[in-house]
């Protein structure tokens, strides 16, 4: 952490490691706000962006356990707008070059094989998303309307034929709302955050906690640590957040997210509270792809290596550390966020690791691979 700050990569960061259910390491370094001279602390609140995805995927798995959804259900079973899906033809140069395709399944949305995409990805479909403002940001309206808008855009490819990082789990968030009859923020609070004691995790930051929210920075050609959005903290004020993004909307703290990670590592239970059955968690952590991500021709933004890495329900699964060029155990499960945050659970070494910093994009530096190497090197028994 100190080296990252001293080299000018980040203004600061924090790290929490549990092994065998006990705290093995905690450290903070640097500043969560350079302008205000505020240090990173254990209770610093960070934007976790795509680390929201495993949480929402776990909730869908909970609904699956209750018999309320099936993973092979199609989006059109819940959101009528997805009943008439069209995908761009391979090599399409015009958005009129499409073919009618089946609606994506819930599994395909959870594993980024649905044909949905992100506006920052390469390709024609992403350019359409960018033009049409398919964006699940905190002030971009409400989830129901944005999902309908997303359904009106062509898919990047026929569902199930490729892997492309996408808004699929944002759409899963809407499915959860429809099944439960409640807004996603309330569902997550009642089904995950309250049972696990995650008091500082949510889609907004209450006024009394705003001072604990870290500033977010971005790497630009002119400034490696430019302030991303001077109004960024106020964007998370309770009265300003209208969109509950299941793919990237949450904020959290080290200890809160550690409780979620430890719940997964322990097979769905923590401190006597069971959210999921152990066999369901083992199912989530399996690779749902026919091979690794690289074998599906992935070209999109990816927060982890593609070779040697598979994908489970809402997170990456390490299949072959040598192919991934990343130390770790077969079966590691976790994911990161756009602001360079990261977590993983290791069933072999009985580890859960949560790392927070705030720099966009997460591809700026290979910090995650470096962190895994450091953690693996520290294990001597």
């Amino acid at each position: 952490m100190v080296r990252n700050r001293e080299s000018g990569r980040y203004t600061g960061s924090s790290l929490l490691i549990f092994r065998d259910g006990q705290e093995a390491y905690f450290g903070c370094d640097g500043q969560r706000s350079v302008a205000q001279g505020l240090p990173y602390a254990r209770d610093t609140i960070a934007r976790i962006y795509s680390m929201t995805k495993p949480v929402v995927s776990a909730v869908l798995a909970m609904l699956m356990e209750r018999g309320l959804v099936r993973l092979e259900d199609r989006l059109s079973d819940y959101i009528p707008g997805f009943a008439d899906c069209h995908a761009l033809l391979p090599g399409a140069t015009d958005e009129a070059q499409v073919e009618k395709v089946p609606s994506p399944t819930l599994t395909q949305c959870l594993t980024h094989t649905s044909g949905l995409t992100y506006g920052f990805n390469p390709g024609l479909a992403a350019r359409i998303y960018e033009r049409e403002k398919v964006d699940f940001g905190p002030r971009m309206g409400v989830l129901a309307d944005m999902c309908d808008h997303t359904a009106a855009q062509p898919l990047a490819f026929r569902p199930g034929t490729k892997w492309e990082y996408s808004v699929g789990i944002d759409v899963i968030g809407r499915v959860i709302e429809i099944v439960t009859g409640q807004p996603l923020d309330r569902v997550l609070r009642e089904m995950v955050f309250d049972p696990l004691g995650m008091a500082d995790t949510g889609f907004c930051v209450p006024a009394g906690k705003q001072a604990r929210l870290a500033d977010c920075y971005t790497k630009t050609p002119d400034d490696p640590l430019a302030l991303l959005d001077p109004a960024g903290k106020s964007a998370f004020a309770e009265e300003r957040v209208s969109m509950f993004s299941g793919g990237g909307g949450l904020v959290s703290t080290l200890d809160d997210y550690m409780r979620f990670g430890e719940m997964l590592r322990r097979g769905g239970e923590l401190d006597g509270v069971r959210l999921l059955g152990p066999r369901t968690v083992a199912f989530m952590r399996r690779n749902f792809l026919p091979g690794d991500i690289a074998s599906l021709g992935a070209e999109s933004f990816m927060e982890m290596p593609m070779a040697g890495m598979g994908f489970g329900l809402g997170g990456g699964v390490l299949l072959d550390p040598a192919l991934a060029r990343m130390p770790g155990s077969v079966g590691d499960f976790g994911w990161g966020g756009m602001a360079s945050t990261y977590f993983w659970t290791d069933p072999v070494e009985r580890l859960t690791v949560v790392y927070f910093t705030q720099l966009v994009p997460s591809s700026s530096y290979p910090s995650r691979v470096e962190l895994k190497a450091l953690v693996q090197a520290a294990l001597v028994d």
Side-chain angles (χ1 to χ4, degrees), residues 39-105:
Y40 263 90
R42 186 152 184 160
D43 66 351
T44 292
I45 298 171
R47 301 156 187 78
I48 62 171
Y49 288 112
S50 287
M51 284 169 62
T52 304
K53 290 177 169 69
V55 178
V56 171
S57 299
V59 170
L60 192 80
M62 294 166 71
L63 298 178
M64 180 190 71
E65 284 189 327
R66 300 175 188 184
L68 298 176
V69 298
R70 296 182 313 123
L71 293 185
E72 287 312 292
D73 290 345
R74 297 195 179 275
L75 282 184
S76 55
D77 296 334
Y78 302 93
I79 304 173
F82 282 99
D84 186 28
C85 284
H86 290 76
L88 295 170
L89 292 167
T93 57
D94 185 276
E95 59 193 274
Q97 298 172 318
V98 296
E99 60 175 338
K100 186 169 176 56
V101 296
S103 176
T105 66

Side-chain angles (χ1 to χ4, degrees), residues 204-267:
C204 60
V205 181
K209 299 180 180 181
Q210 283 275 320
R212 290 163 49 199
L213 178 62
D215 287 342
C216 195
Y217 301 87
T218 186
K219 185 182 180 185
T220 71
D222 300 321
D223 187 347
L225 288 169
L227 192 61
L228 181 65
D229 179 5
K233 291 188 177 183
S234 63
F236 286 90
E238 292 177 272
E239 67 275 10
R240 300 192 67 187
V241 175
S242 60
M243 176 71 69
F244 304 134
S245 166
L250 291 177
V251 298
S252 191
T253 61
L254 280 178
D255 282 294
D256 269 16
Y257 208 88
M258 177 58 72
R259 295 189 66 78
F260 174 75
E262 276 287 279
M263 179 274 295
L264 290 180
R265 185 192 67 80
R266 292 167 53 91

Side-chain angles (χ1 to χ4, degrees), residues 191-207:
M191 294 182 68
V192 179
F193 305 151
D194 284 349
L196 291 182
M198 298 170 64
D200 289 326
T201 303
F203 290 106
C204 60
V205 181

